[in-house]
Amino acid sequence: MHHNNLKNNIMIENLEEINLDLTPLTRQLLINYISINYEEHADFSEESLRAELLLLKRTNNLEQLFLAESLSNYYQQ
């Protein structure tokens, strides 16, 4: 029971609070997505990665991260 309470206390309640340094896979998905969608205009700063993540969430398009990964992997074959 104590372990469960601790877990609940440290859970992030929304993406605005997420630390991308602690989620390297999410960071990489964002970098890949931004690379594909913005090409030479891509900005990989912490602020831009977070803004893109929040935009995808707000527009209900988080699946685009996974679709971009699939597309990238397809072309790397």
Side-chain angles (χ1 to χ4, degrees):
M1 181 87 168
H2 175 58
H3 175 70
N4 208 13
N5 288 336
L6 177 62
K7 188 168 111 175
N8 288 338
N9 288 336
I10 61 174
M11 292 280 297
I12 296 172
E13 300 214 4
N14 57 52
L15 287 179
E16 288 84 4
E17 298 175 18
I18 198 165
N19 179 347
L20 292 174
D21 290 334
L22 299 177
T23 58
L25 298 176
T26 301
R27 176 187 293 282
Q28 192 55 51
L29 286 172
L30 284 163
I31 289 171
N32 189 45
Y33 171 80
I34 289 170
S35 294
I36 291 170
N37 285 281
Y38 297 101
E39 297 175 346
E40 68 273 359
H41 302 290
D43 178 357
F44 304 115
S45 68
E46 188 75 18
E47 184 178 311
S48 292
L49 294 175
R50 184 180 306 284
E52 197 66 39
L53 179 61
L54 295 176
L55 175 65
L56 289 169
K57 179 187 178 210
R58 188 171 49 253
T59 59
N60 205 25
N61 283 308
L62 285 172
E63 76 276 0
Q64 293 302 312
L65 294 175
F66 309 109
L67 294 173
E69 179 188 26
S70 177
L71 181 64
S72 178
N73 289 334
Y74 175 80
Y75 284 113
Q76 289 177 10
Q77 290 182 358

